[in-house]
Amino acid sequence: MGDFLKGSKFYPLQIVIDDREPQAIVDQILDFKNIIVRKERLPIGDYLLDSDLLVERKSVPDFCASVKDGRLFKQVAKLANSKVRPCLILEGKEKEFRETGFKKKAIQGMIISISLVFKIPIVRSKSPKQTISIMLQSYRQLTKDRLEDFRFFPRLKPKFRKSDAYFKQKVHILEGFPGIGADKAEQLLRHFGSLQNVFVSPESELVKVEGIGKTIAAQMRKVLGD
C-alpha cells in the first residue's frame, strides 16, 4: 500500500494482532512497507500499536452478540483499566444493526455508555479497509502530540449531583433497560451515584432501589453480563 510512517521517529510501527482476528485484515496490514506485524493471543483488545494505542475491533453482529451474552461491558471495563490508550472501532453498515433485531435506542444507549462512562472513544467504520485506515490515523495523531502520562481510567464513584450536565443523558441510557422508565432511572442514579455503579451492582443491591423489583433487577444483570 504505502509508506505511511516515512519520516516518523516511531518508524517502523510494530503491531501486535490478536491471533483470533481474520487473516484477511492481517494481510492488508502487511501490505504496508513500514509495519512489523506479530500475531499472538492478546489478553485485552485486538490490535496493539507499539505501546501507544490498544484497539478493540467489533463488527456490528459481534457488538450486538456481546451485549446479549454479557461480554461487552466486561471487555470495556478491561479496556478502560488498561495502561495503553484504548479505542473501540465499530465496523459495519447501518443496515446490519437493523438485521440484529436491536432497537436503535438500545444501541445508542450502549455506545453513549461506553464513551461517556468508560471514557473510551468509539469510531464507526464501514469496512475492514477503513478500520485499518482509522487505526493508523489514530496512531499518528496520538504520537504526533504525545502525552507523557498515559493514565489508567479507574472506576470512579462520583456522588450524584443535581447540576450534573449529563444527567438527562444518563437517564436516557438507563431507559434502554427492560422495565426502566425515566422515574426508575432517576431513582437508580440517586441511589448509586453514577452509571458505572449501577452497572457493577448485584441484584441484591439493585432491589434496594424504590421501584426495582427482583424481575427488573434480574433482567438488568442479564443484560449487563451475569
Side-chain angles (χ1 to χ4, degrees), residues 56 58 63 72 76 79 86-90 114 120-123:
E56 174 78 21
K58 280 200 175 294
F63 179 85
L72 181 63
V76 166
L79 285 171
C87 172
L88 192 153
I89 297 179
L90 184 54
I114 293 169
I120 296 176
I122 299 179
V123 185

Side-chain angles (χ1 to χ4, degrees), residues 113-130:
S113 176
I114 293 169
S115 58
L116 182 63
V117 179
F118 292 93
K119 305 190 188 305
I120 296 176
I122 299 179
V123 185
R124 294 289 303 277
S125 165
K126 292 182 179 179
S127 65
K129 184 176 181 180
Q130 190 174 29

Side-chain angles (χ1 to χ4, degrees), residues 12-202:
L13 167 62
Q14 298 187 54
I15 302 180
V16 180
I17 302 176
D18 187 84
D19 58 15
R20 292 162 290 193
E21 281 294 279
Q23 186 60 41
I25 296 182
V26 179
D27 291 340
Q28 288 186 55
I29 294 175
L30 286 170
D31 283 341
F32 286 88
K33 295 179 181 178
N34 302 309
I35 296 179
I36 298 173
V37 171
R38 188 170 80 250
K39 289 190 73 174
E40 62 182 58
R41 184 60 55 92
L42 289 173
I44 311 171
D46 297 313
Y47 301 85
L48 177 62
L49 286 73
D50 278 346
S51 297
D52 299 293
L53 180 64
L54 181 62
V55 176
E56 174 78 21
R57 182 189 73 89
K58 280 200 175 294
S59 65
V60 169
D62 183 41
F63 179 85
C64 295
S66 66
V67 172
K68 288 182 179 179
D69 63 22
R71 285 181 292 123
L72 181 63
F73 283 104
K74 292 176 183 178
Q75 291 173 329
V76 166
K78 289 180 180 179
L79 285 171
N81 285 289
S82 170
K83 293 181 180 180
V84 182
R85 185 67 60 86
C87 172
L88 192 153
I89 297 179
L90 184 54
E91 183 183 291
K93 298 179 180 179
E94 199 67 34
K95 66 176 183 179
E96 292 182 69
F97 281 109
R98 296 192 292 271
E99 292 169 356
T100 64
F102 267 69
K103 291 183 179 179
K104 187 175 182 179
K105 185 177 180 180
I107 295 294
Q108 287 177 335
M110 294 300 170
I111 291 174
I112 292 169
S113 176
I114 293 169
S115 58
L116 182 63
V117 179
F118 292 93
K119 305 190 188 305
I120 296 176
I122 299 179
V123 185
R124 294 289 303 277
S125 165
K126 292 182 179 179
S127 65
K129 184 176 181 180
Q130 190 174 29
T131 294
I132 295 169
S133 176
I134 290 169
M135 281 197 297
L136 298 181
Q137 288 177 26
S138 299
Y139 173 81
R140 290 197 68 173
Q141 185 64 33
L142 197 58
T143 54
K144 179 181 179 182
D145 301 307
R146 181 184 292 276
L147 296 175
E148 294 299 326
D149 179 22
F150 280 21
R151 297 172 295 175
F152 288 89
F153 294 103
R155 290 184 173 180
L156 303 176
K157 295 184 178 179
K159 292 183 178 180
F160 168 76
R161 297 190 305 275
K162 238 180 178 180
S163 60
D164 186 349
Y166 296 105
F167 180 64
K168 289 184 179 179
Q169 195 67 265
K170 293 174 183 177
V171 169
H172 179 68
I173 290 170
L174 289 175
E175 284 183 287
F177 287 86
I180 302 296
D183 291 341
K184 289 186 177 69
E186 289 189 22
Q187 290 288 351
L188 285 164
L189 286 172
R190 288 193 171 89
H191 183 88
F192 291 105
S194 73
L195 277 176
Q196 195 162 350
N197 287 344
V198 174
F199 293 157
V200 300
S201 296

